[in-house]
Amino acid sequence: MSRVQWRADETKRDPRAHYANGVTAIFIHHTDTPNAYDCADVPHILRNLYTGQTRDQGWGDLGYNFVVDRCGNIYEGRAGGVDRPVVGSHTQGFNQGTAGIAAIGTFGRGTKVPAPMEHAIAALAAWKLGLRGVDPRSKVRLTSTNDKSRYPKGTSASFYAISAHRDGFATDCPGEALVARLPAIRHLAADLQGRSARTPFGAAPPVTLRTLHQGSS
């Protein structure tokens, strides 16, 4: 769902987006909001998050590049073009060259991660990383741009191509339950790219923006 569809007030954000050279890693977040929501109400939830992150946090826009709900619907987050390497405000020190995907809800230990949400995260990551040919199961090196991250500014660190917010910043986000699902999400994303042992890379149809839209209700 586009920003137009969830009715983002474009007067609240900075008018100019910032871009990296490409996206080589994804950081997974949760919104730390209630889980018992109706998916029809998600546009309202997003507008509230947007207001909080622009007015109260001063991030200039929604911090996340994408947001996923428990029904598996995918929403455009930060403005600038979903297929472009927009620099977000999601992982202190590691916003450059990465994308942030936020799962709506709170995923502490023992919480069930809905299967449609998990599949949507994997499909979105497969597509976004696939634009640069990055294997979702691989590790990449990122350089910290901020001393407030887990690594001093200028430090090069190794991350999974699909990592948790807490891997780069001192936080519990995205919660123990979602962190526990990241290995499965990485492998599913690789399968969706056609990288499984059963399907040589390139033999399966690639995940595209069109198939992502077809996969969400």
Side-chain angles (χ1 to χ4, degrees):
M1 183 179 288
S2 70
R3 289 173 65 92
V4 170
Q5 290 172 303
W6 62 262
R7 302 193 302 281
D9 181 351
E10 302 298 357
T11 66
K12 292 182 178 180
R13 68 173 175 88
D14 291 342
R16 187 167 67 92
H18 299 274
Y19 299 94
N21 291 328
V23 169
T24 58
I26 304 286
F27 282 102
I28 306 299
H29 306 256
H30 67 181
T31 57
D32 200 22
T33 53
N35 292 335
Y37 56 88
D38 189 320
C39 291
D41 294 331
V42 169
H44 176 70
I45 294 170
L46 287 180
R47 291 193 296 273
N48 285 341
L49 287 170
Y50 180 43
T51 296
Q53 293 182 5
T54 52
R55 183 191 65 194
D56 303 330
Q57 300 291 339
W59 291 350
D61 197 350
L62 198 64
Y64 318 116
N65 299 95
F66 302 94
V67 183
V68 176
D69 70 20
R70 64 186 185 88
C71 296
N73 299 307
I74 297 170
Y75 303 83
E76 178 183 8
R78 200 171 187 89
V82 293
D83 57 345
R84 300 186 67 186
V86 179
V87 178
S89 298
H90 52 84
T91 305
Q92 187 91 264
F94 296 101
N95 292 311
Q96 190 74 26
T98 69
I101 300 175
I104 297 179
T106 302
F107 296 96
R109 189 183 303 276
T111 304
K112 172 69 175 175
V113 180
M117 171 180 277
E118 190 171 317
H119 189 278
I121 291 171
L124 180 54
W127 169 70
K128 194 66 176 176
L129 293 173
L131 296 176
R132 293 276 296 206
V134 177
D135 186 334
R137 302 163 300 185
S138 68
K139 287 194 171 184
V140 299
R141 296 203 71 84
L142 303 173
T143 300
S144 174
T145 62
N146 194 310
D147 286 331
K148 294 180 181 179
S149 78
R150 284 193 180 276
Y151 300 89
K153 182 178 179 179
T155 301
S156 175
S158 177
F159 293 88
Y160 279 106
I162 301 176
S163 285
H165 181 192
R166 70 183 191 180
D167 293 332
F169 184 70
T171 176
D172 290 334
C173 181
E176 292 291 339
L178 193 44
V179 168
R181 298 304 302 160
L182 290 186
I185 287 171
R186 293 182 192 114
H187 283 282
L188 176 55
D191 285 348
L192 290 169
Q193 284 187 348
R195 294 180 183 270
S196 72
R198 299 179 305 279
T199 310
F201 182 52
V207 180
T208 65
L209 197 54
R210 179 186 295 273
T211 58
L212 281 175
H213 285 312
Q214 289 172 342
S216 45
S217 56

